[in-house]
Amino acid sequence: MTAGTRDEWRGWRAAAQDALYAPGGFYRRVEGPAGHFRTSVHASPLFAGAVARLLCRVDEALGRPAALDFVDMAAGRGELAGGVLAALPADVAARTRAYAVEIAERPPGLDHRIEWLAAPPEGASGLLFANEWLDNVPVEVAEVDAAGVARRVLVREDGTERLGEPVDGAQARWLQRWWPLPGEEGLRAEIGLPRGEAWAAAVATLRRGLAVAVDYAHTVDTRPPFGTLTGFREGRETAPVPDGSCDITAHVALDACALPGGRVLPQREALRTLGVTGARPPLTLASTDPAAYVRALASAAEAAELTAAGGLGDFGWLVQPAGIADPFPE
């Protein structure tokens, strides 16, 4: 499946790239990401509804153009794009051009209004939304050796690791700026330079509107001392083994990805601004309309999951306006 041989030592970036995206790789499987882990998109339709409301805000900021673009980066099997179209007001949906960007083949039965692409369209005007994309942009891993030197971690297809050459050049400069490692043996970092480059390239395709990246994130003041590289298989966290059998992911230094004018806010704050509060329905509704009360209670539980501390609510939203005002109040 992978381009390298099983016994070849490679950096984590090359190994993960093949394990995830090469022919037969994890993200080319029929079951898609939903078969292995749960994202905000899969947790509740409330998430797609919130993104639809955000798209409506962008629409207003753009002056309600004749064509409004919604670009779903790392679209999985198109769940978010379909949910957003379903949640939009009819007049907005009629003007919306939806694009699902994914390397896998178009899934059968997908809404015909969604265009399936391998790369984001150039010159889009609207909302580019990347939910849990950057955490799967492969990066190099660095580890401090006994002499206090940060070295690139090499890995074989079976997950065995060893230390390679010292980190240098642009990667060393990125570490110094965004994830400085004290000279203590065993400390690790994920070098997020490719993620910043990938995000800048995606934002550059947007002519006007808003780009949003949503991911588990940390900031320069809260970097984890041993990194976050991990794997997921069939809904469970597992060791990251670059053989194509599992997802390989690491939290994102979203602050390092932000371009001028961009900022990071917690998912709970972003969703509450978009109407997802998790507030319980009034008890009086239980007596006046029991069925509506049960539905509202279920919706509140889903909203609570999306905004929960220690869970999905801890995701970061990198909000990057392109020629419009920031739609989230300070």
Side-chain angles (χ1 to χ4, degrees):
M1 184 278 300
T2 58
T5 65
R6 184 169 183 83
D7 295 328
E8 180 184 357
W9 292 100
R10 298 189 291 168
W12 265 107
R13 184 182 181 188
Q17 181 70 33
D18 283 343
L20 296 178
Y21 304 116
F26 181 82
Y27 275 99
R28 294 187 182 273
R29 293 185 173 190
V30 173
E31 72 271 19
H36 296 272
F37 51 86
R38 179 179 172 87
T39 72
S40 296
V41 176
H42 309 121
S44 170
L46 294 176
F47 189 80
V51 176
R53 287 190 288 277
L54 179 58
L55 180 57
C56 288
R57 290 189 182 185
V58 173
D59 182 42
E60 291 293 334
L62 292 173
R64 296 177 58 81
L68 176 68
D69 296 319
F70 176 68
V71 182
D72 181 11
M73 292 292 298
R77 297 302 176 265
E79 299 96 336
L80 179 59
V84 167
L85 284 176
L88 286 172
D91 64 312
V92 180
R95 294 184 286 109
T96 297
R97 300 181 299 194
Y99 303 92
V101 181
E102 182 57 73
I103 63 163
E105 295 296 320
R106 182 187 181 96
L110 185 67
D111 191 320
H112 71 277
R113 295 174 293 174
I114 301 171
E115 187 171 350
W116 196 260
L117 301 174
E122 294 289 339
S125 183
L127 175 61
L128 182 147
F129 201 88
N131 186 63
E132 295 197 52
W133 168 48
L134 290 177
D135 66 310
N136 287 126
V137 173
V139 294
E140 298 290 5
V141 178
E143 182 175 320
V144 178
D145 67 10
V149 176
R151 294 182 175 272
R152 195 164 66 110
V153 176
L154 306 181
V155 63
R156 294 194 306 197
E157 193 174 296
D158 64 1
T160 305
E161 293 182 336
R162 76 177 189 192
L163 296 187
E165 70 280 6
V167 177
D168 61 6
Q171 293 182 346
R173 291 190 292 273
W174 189 95
L175 276 181
Q176 184 177 18
R177 169 66 180 87
W178 292 109
W179 199 328
L181 286 171
E184 181 181 334
E185 185 178 6
L187 296 183
R188 288 169 67 119
E190 291 107 26
I191 305 174
L193 184 62
R195 292 170 171 176
E197 293 170 344
W199 179 241
V203 173
T205 67
L206 194 62
R207 182 173 61 84
R208 193 161 174 251
L210 182 72
V212 178
V214 181
D215 253 304
Y216 268 127
H218 42 62
T219 65
V220 71
D221 296 325
T222 61
R223 305 284 190 234
F226 302 105
T228 62
L229 187 71
T230 192
F232 283 92
R233 183 188 296 114
E234 297 176 355
R236 296 184 178 181
E237 190 169 357
T238 185
V241 179
D243 61 358
S245 68
C246 66
D247 184 29
I248 297 173
T249 180
H251 296 188
V252 182
L254 282 179
D255 52 344
C257 296
L259 300 168
R263 66 185 179 106
V264 179
L265 62 157
Q267 171 154 300
R268 67 179 62 87
E269 179 181 328
L271 289 183
R272 286 170 181 164
T273 300
L274 295 170
V276 180
T277 66
R280 293 173 63 90
L283 282 174
T284 53
L285 185 62
S287 57
T288 59
D289 192 340
Y293 177 76
V294 171
R295 290 193 299 270
L297 199 61
S299 179
E302 293 175 3
E305 181 182 2
L306 290 172
T307 58
L312 295 175
D314 288 344
F315 272 64
W317 282 40
L318 171 53
V319 178
Q320 194 77 56
I324 66 170
D326 187 335
F328 290 96
E330 291 281 357

